Amino acid sequence: MNVNDTEVIFSILADEGYDRTEVMDEADVILANTCSVRDNAEQRIWGRIEQFHQQKKTRPEVVVGIVGCMAERLKDALLDSRKVDLVAGPDSYRSLPQLLRDIAPDRPQINVLLSHEETYGDIRPVRIDRNGVSAFISIMRGCNNVCSYCVVPYTRGAERSRDPRTILREACDVFASGYKEVTLLGQNVDSYLWKGEDGTTVDFADLLEQVALISPELRVRYSTSHPKDISDKLIETMGRHDTICKCIHLPVQSGSDAMLVKMRRRYTRAWYLDRVAKIRSVMPDCAITTDIIAGFCGETEQDHQDTLSIMREVGYDAAFMFQYSERPGTLAARNYPDDIAPEVKTRRLSEIIELQNALSLESNRRDVGKVFRILVEGPSKRNPAELCGRASNNKMCVFPDTAHKAGDYVDVEVLSCTQATLMCRLV
């Protein structure tokens, strides 16, 4: 989502005559687009601000700005540091040119107003990907779920869906520009809902199907699904279209009903497993990935074991796994003590990672001998005589080949694997 927001920012600034540079010493304006989901992301930005400040010591005229969720959450602290000239929240990017014009010595500029309407749907993002193969398209902004551990509703505002016509236009534009894959983005894509002035409605399954029908040469992914909202209609739509990649990111967070209630996830373990069963019945080979939090407030050893058991029961292909990081202002921070000892969190996270590594390897071993259609992303990082690309299930495939290029589709057979990669040959 931040990559896509950055592309929107570049588009807005390009219209004002700014050009992008990746050489900091050349920059007149240095912006950091930030995330507040976890504390260590914010800590890294404080370190970057010190790095940017060194630029200002030698070039006082350079402008330093913090944009995104951290700007929204820590606006006062950022300005109090006296090392930042500009603070802009996720809904204020249209005002960046004016904010930049208004900056003066000892007069930093700030705009962190959240909007109920802003989707940037009319802005054509300036793509910053390296290979011109896969593009991100934001279909909605904000979130209404207010999970107790999550800061996103406070930093990105209320949920609002983008006009589907602008989404389809953007998808057609990127395909016409040579892109072969789009990823539809939303904090909870399953709750996407557009109501037209004529009374018609478009839900996420409808939108996904419309994008999937643009071309048989355009693959479609999306992120992220919420288990409480993923519908039979969506799953069956995925099953009908080969262009929709067979991979669903379905964050479970915990396998314990007690923890799910405390996290305010609004589904049960049984509901979650029912959704997994529906996915498997329609798309037996669909990959399922997840997010897991270790050591949430009051988590018992049995709660932890429940998480390990649901991991085994689902057999996740991959997972993002974290220790609980209390975020100020959230429901959990206000209502529950962060009472799991750091060493216990670390041990539980290590057990979760160890299990997921085994599950990922087991999943990849099941793919040995299979043939997959791959979208080539470019040369392998380790060997220029090999290419790499992803299968529909989002697994990375590496294979010897110098004849094809990024953006080509090829068929490969899986010969062997590691827990992270499928080693293949061209068919």
Side-chain angles (χ1 to χ4, degrees):
M1 290 181 182
N2 268 16
V3 171
N4 183 251
D5 274 10
T6 298
E7 294 175 335
V8 167
I9 290 170
F10 279 137
S11 178
I12 291 168
L13 293 182
D15 288 343
E16 294 292 318
Y18 288 88
D19 286 323
R20 178 184 176 212
T21 177
E22 294 189 9
V23 180
M24 194 184 300
D25 292 343
E26 296 178 353
D28 303 296
V29 178
I30 302 171
L31 301 177
N33 195 356
T34 61
C35 176
S36 285
V37 169
R38 290 182 290 142
D39 181 64
N40 66 347
E42 290 186 351
Q43 295 307 317
R44 288 201 304 273
I45 292 300
W46 285 116
R48 288 289 180 90
I49 289 172
E50 291 301 320
Q51 181 185 5
F52 301 156
H53 190 58
Q54 296 305 311
Q55 288 279 327
K56 288 187 73 71
K57 286 182 178 180
T58 58
R59 297 191 296 139
E61 73 281 2
V62 74
V63 170
V64 171
I66 302 299
V67 301
C69 290
M70 185 173 168
E72 192 73 38
R73 200 182 81 76
L74 294 174
K75 46 191 173 289
D76 294 332
L78 289 165
L79 292 177
D80 290 346
S81 74
R82 302 184 68 83
K83 297 176 180 178
V84 173
D85 304 298
L86 169 71
V87 176
D91 290 345
S92 62
Y93 299 147
R94 291 182 193 271
S95 69
L96 282 172
Q98 186 62 51
L99 294 173
L100 288 166
R101 284 192 289 270
D102 291 344
I103 290 170
D106 297 318
R107 198 174 75 182
Q109 298 297 305
I110 180 172
N111 184 351
V112 292
L113 293 176
L114 290 174
S115 167
H116 288 283
E117 291 83 30
E118 182 62 83
T119 64
Y120 302 111
D122 60 320
I123 292 175
R124 297 175 185 265
V126 174
R127 303 296 170 184
I128 60 174
D129 57 278
R130 301 282 184 183
N131 57 21
V133 171
S134 185
F136 296 121
I137 298 177
S138 176
I139 67 168
M140 59 195 302
R141 297 183 73 83
C143 185
N144 291 345
N145 287 315
V146 196
C147 299
S148 65
Y149 53 81
C150 185
V151 75
V152 167
Y154 310 101
T155 60
R156 297 187 77 90
E159 184 179 282
R160 61 272 191 199
S161 297
R162 181 178 163 188
D163 187 329
R165 292 167 295 186
T166 70
I167 297 168
L168 288 168
R169 184 183 65 227
E170 186 174 340
C172 289
D173 284 350
V174 297
F175 180 65
S177 300
Y179 286 85
K180 295 295 184 66
E181 182 177 88
V182 294
T183 301
L184 307 181
L185 297 175
Q187 204 66 40
N188 174 17
V189 292
D190 299 323
S191 60
Y192 174 91
L193 184 64
W194 175 263
K195 296 181 180 179
E197 294 179 358
D198 60 356
T200 59
T201 61
V202 177
D203 64 16
F204 182 58
D206 299 327
L207 176 69
L208 187 64
E209 186 162 56
Q210 290 174 27
V211 177
L213 291 172
I214 289 174
S215 170
E217 292 293 302
L218 181 67
R219 295 206 307 192
V220 187
R221 300 187 185 275
Y222 64 86
S223 187
T224 295
S225 280
H226 196 298
K228 74 177 177 63
D229 293 324
I230 187 168
S231 65
D232 288 0
K233 179 182 176 182
L234 173 60
I235 295 167
E236 288 160 3
T237 298
M238 290 183 67
R240 281 199 305 273
H241 296 279
D242 291 339
T243 51
I244 302 175
C245 292
K246 304 304 184 277
C247 180
I248 297 177
H249 189 66
L250 198 63
V252 69
Q253 308 299 1
S254 174
S256 160
D257 280 341
M259 288 295 98
L260 292 174
V261 169
K262 218 174 215 183
M263 291 176 172
R264 208 168 177 271
R265 291 292 286 170
R266 291 185 284 181
Y267 56 82
T268 63
R269 178 189 178 104
W271 171 272
Y272 185 94
L273 291 173
D274 173 77
R275 296 292 79 200
V276 170
K278 176 64 177 180
I279 293 167
R280 301 278 193 231
S281 70
V282 175
M283 299 173 288
D285 294 329
C286 183
I288 299 177
T289 60
T290 199
D291 297 339
I292 297 171
I293 297 173
F296 187 64
C297 310
E299 183 184 69
T300 66
E301 193 60 33
Q302 184 57 54
D303 294 328
H304 171 58
Q305 292 301 320
D306 288 345
T307 295
L308 296 176
S309 71
I310 203 170
M311 291 173 67
R312 296 187 191 97
E313 190 163 350
V314 176
Y316 294 111
D317 297 88
F320 295 104
M321 301 157 285
F322 314 100
Q323 291 186 31
Y324 172 60
S325 171
E326 184 178 86
R327 311 309 293 127
T330 59
L331 291 174
R334 297 199 299 268
N335 297 316
Y336 307 127
D338 184 7
D339 55 359
I340 307 302
E343 62 271 18
V344 175
K345 287 185 182 179
T346 299
R347 190 259 302 167
R348 289 177 181 172
L349 179 60
S350 295
E351 291 177 4
I352 288 168
I353 292 172
E354 181 180 7
L355 174 56
Q356 185 55 53
N357 287 343
L359 292 173
S360 296
L361 181 58
E362 183 181 326
S363 170
N364 285 353
R365 282 175 174 164
R366 288 196 296 269
D367 287 336
V368 173
K370 293 181 180 178
V371 173
F372 290 127
R373 188 83 163 156
I374 302 301
L375 177 57
V376 177
E377 296 182 4
S380 165
K381 292 179 181 178
R382 294 186 178 180
N383 186 348
E386 294 180 332
L387 294 177
C388 65
R390 295 184 184 275
S392 174
N393 61 15
N394 206 38
K395 293 183 181 182
M396 179 58 75
C397 299
V398 176
F399 49 96
D401 183 13
T402 55
H404 292 92
K405 64 184 185 304
D408 288 344
Y409 287 104
V410 298
D411 292 327
V412 298
E413 180 186 5
V414 182
L415 303 178
S416 63
C417 68
T418 67
Q419 71 184 40
T421 307
L422 302 179
M423 310 303 180
C424 309
R425 70 170 182 87
L426 278 172
V427 174

